[in-house]
Amino acid sequence: MLKVQEFLKQYDGEPMRIMEVCGTHTAAISHSGIPSVISPKIRLISGPGCPVCVTVTSYIDRLVSLSMEPGCAVVSFGDLLRVKGSARSLNDARALGGQVRMVYSPMDVLKLAAAEPEKTFVFAAVGFETTAPVYALLLGEAVRAGLENIRLLTSLKTMPPVIDWVCAHQGGIDGFLAPGHVSVITGSDLFEPLARKYSIPFAVSGFEPEQILISLYALVRLRGRGVVKNLYPSVVTARGNVQAQRLVSRYFEPCGAAWRGMGVIPNSGIRLRPEFARFDAGSAELTQDRGFHSACRCGQVLTGAISPHECPLFGRACAPQTPQGACMVSTEGSCYQYYVNRRD
Amino acid sequence: MCVAMPGKVIRLDSGVAEVDFSGNRVRAQAGLVAVKPGDYVLVHAGCILQVISKQDRDSLADLFEEIEELC
Ligand code: SF4
């Protein structure tokens, strides 16, 4: 391991930009202080892998209005509650009498729905390939239990198309730390076509500092080569969790999806299949993306075009207590992580 | 939403597992993969995503060798 650390510290070759795609990696890198122990010629940038951050404003607006409808309650993960739509967040809506419940798992909605059958519970179903199987489990249980008062408002996204978008539109990335938990479900083979298309190496990495360092080492050594290296073999396989993939495709089908700051990317999301449309809370056409604060640059932060420090509001008007954009709200958001860990 | 660290399955009861994270116990759905008590697992949004095969498969020395072979 010493060899790896020395190599990364002494590296004096061509400058490299390595993107960590997943929000949990962003958090792990920021906590561990890795950027300060590697050569300044290896620049780590954060990507679009925080599900709360990439959600567009019209999706939040729709949740806010659902929370105000009589007989309806919105159920959500905590991080989403503080994200502003074009005017309000779910927390603001709650203060105005809106019905909003916070849960840790989508499965918690089953109990809520069973206890209050006269009320409709709308789950704010955000997430990537990792979370989609959990929603599929939830739907399976709802069907089995005959619960007709559960709906999903979906903003579910898939990783390869957005990585493709970043490479095609942004460019300048020499290696990807592939999202670890997404890979657990999808398998590491998912990234092979992208690696080959752009001749960029991908390393599937665990979340311990040593695991991240060895992945960075691999990416630097493999620069310019379109290969995928699975460096998290205890949980990631080439084909992933096939049972979970099958469950997802039973309930969901591919669709275009709107990403904050990137617009609609074809085939970059999933939605409920027509035969399960009765569980949908009006997820289609939620593509409007007008930031709450006009100077917020979340879109550029999410694609690695700028570092959070380059946003004029970072650390001034925008801080964790006064977030002006989604990237400062979520604990997996780049702006939040750069702020609380004083990352450069 | 992700818990990056593995937890240990303590018991299993009608598809719901009790998982121990260094003394912190949580309940997690076990519908995405077959698990049994004693397994180390990865949990996300209240569900078990995967069983960790053998932690020693992530041995850094072995991974380093594999990278060297590729380069
Ligand atoms: S610092 Fe705040 S305002 Fe600026 S991009 Fe990040 S979240 Fe948006």
Side-chain angles (χ1 to χ4, degrees):
Chain A
M1 201 58 209
L2 253 181
K3 249 192 231 167
V4 168
Q5 285 174 9
E6 276 304 300
F7 175 90
L8 291 170
K9 196 170 175 191
Q10 312 283 339
Y11 177 76
D12 195 28
E14 284 282 295
M16 280 197 76
R17 293 176 88 231
I18 294 175
M19 176 174 273
E20 84 264 3
V21 180
C22 154
T24 313
H25 273 143
T26 298
I29 288 171
S30 306
H31 286 159
S32 62
I34 285 176
S36 61
V37 299
I38 61 176
S39 158
K41 290 207 161 175
I42 305 168
R43 183 102 190 116
L44 303 183
I45 50 176
S46 308
C50 156
V52 168
C53 307
V54 295
T55 300
V56 294
T57 43
S58 60
Y59 178 81
I60 306 288
D61 289 347
R62 172 97 183 121
L63 288 174
V64 166
S65 77
L66 284 167
S67 77
M68 296 293 195
E69 274 180 23
C72 186
V74 168
V75 187
S76 170
F77 295 118
D79 270 8
L80 205 60
L81 302 190
R82 295 173 65 221
V83 178
K84 297 262 190 202
S86 54
R88 293 196 182 105
S89 66
L90 281 171
N91 265 349
D92 297 336
R94 183 150 61 176
L96 294 168
Q99 294 254 17
V100 182
R101 314 275 174 90
M102 191 193 96
V103 292
Y104 293 101
S105 169
M107 304 307 279
D108 297 340
V109 82
L110 293 166
K111 257 193 222 140
L112 297 173
E116 293 180 75
E118 72 293 344
K119 190 172 274 175
T120 300
F121 290 88
V122 179
F123 196 89
V126 300
F128 297 108
E129 289 95 329
T130 333
T131 325
V134 186
Y135 298 125
L137 270 186
L138 164 63
L139 288 170
E141 282 299 311
V143 170
R144 201 186 53 76
L147 292 168
E148 292 295 329
N149 57 334
I150 291 178
R151 303 281 180 277
L152 301 184
L153 191 72
T154 59
S155 174
L156 291 167
K157 308 215 169 23
T158 47
M159 276 291 172
V162 75
I163 296 177
D164 198 348
W165 191 97
V166 169
C167 289
H169 291 78
Q170 205 72 43
I173 294 162
D174 305 299
F176 283 99
L177 271 186
H181 293 124
V182 165
S183 310
V184 170
I185 299 296
T186 64
S188 56
D189 278 358
L190 183 77
F191 301 104
E192 292 279 356
L194 283 170
R196 278 200 297 274
K197 180 175 176 184
Y198 292 104
S199 297
I200 297 178
F202 282 66
V204 178
S205 176
F207 297 88
E208 298 286 347
E210 299 78 20
Q211 292 174 313
I212 295 172
L213 285 171
I214 202 149
S215 300
L216 295 176
Y217 174 76
L219 292 172
V220 175
R221 294 292 313 268
L222 295 168
R223 183 194 179 116
R225 290 176 54 187
V227 293
V228 177
K229 187 75 199 123
N230 178 9
L231 297 168
Y232 197 20
S234 64
V235 279
V236 175
T237 58
R239 294 191 53 221
N241 184 336
V242 177
Q243 191 177 329
Q245 293 166 22
R246 283 207 194 105
L247 195 62
V248 171
S249 40
R250 184 182 307 162
Y251 294 99
F252 297 95
E253 62 181 15
C255 66
W259 296 69
R260 188 178 289 257
M262 289 169 260
V264 175
I265 303 176
N267 270 324
S268 68
I270 54 171
R271 65 180 172 210
L272 283 162
R273 287 186 175 281
E275 54 271 41
F276 296 104
R278 66 183 190 279
F279 287 106
D280 186 79
S283 311
E285 310 301 331
L286 298 176
T287 55
Q288 277 294 319
D289 187 19
R290 192 160 45 88
F292 172 70
H293 196 302
S294 58
C296 170
R297 296 178 72 184
C298 272
Q300 286 162 290
V301 169
L302 286 166
T303 56
I306 63 166
S307 145
H309 294 279
E310 292 172 72
C311 170
L313 304 181
F314 181 83
R316 296 183 182 90
C318 187
Q321 292 311 315
T322 53
Q324 302 300 316
C327 302
M328 188 62 92
V329 171
S330 170
T331 51
E332 291 178 16
S334 307
C335 298
Y336 176 89
Q337 284 296 331
Y338 276 60
Y339 184 90
V340 297
N341 293 297
R342 299 170 189 270
R343 179 168 160 187
D344 288 330
Chain B
M1 287 194 287
C2 297
V3 182
M5 298 308 129
K8 186 178 180 183
V9 175
I10 302 298
R11 69 172 71 86
L12 204 57
D13 186 10
S14 349
V16 180
E18 191 175 325
V19 184
D20 180 272
F21 291 92
S22 324
N24 212 350
R25 298 216 170 163
V26 301
R27 286 162 64 78
Q29 289 288 322
L32 298 176
V33 62
V35 296
K36 56 182 185 323
D39 282 347
Y40 281 88
V41 294
L42 209 60
V43 173
H44 168 80
C47 285
I48 295 175
L49 287 189
Q50 192 56 285
V51 176
I52 296 172
S53 57
K54 272 198 205 119
Q55 300 226 33
D56 58 10
R57 290 196 59 202
D58 285 345
S59 139
L60 295 169
D62 292 352
L63 295 178
F64 181 76
E65 285 307 315
E66 278 182 38
I67 298 166
E68 293 304 293
E69 275 167 31
L70 256 186
C71 294

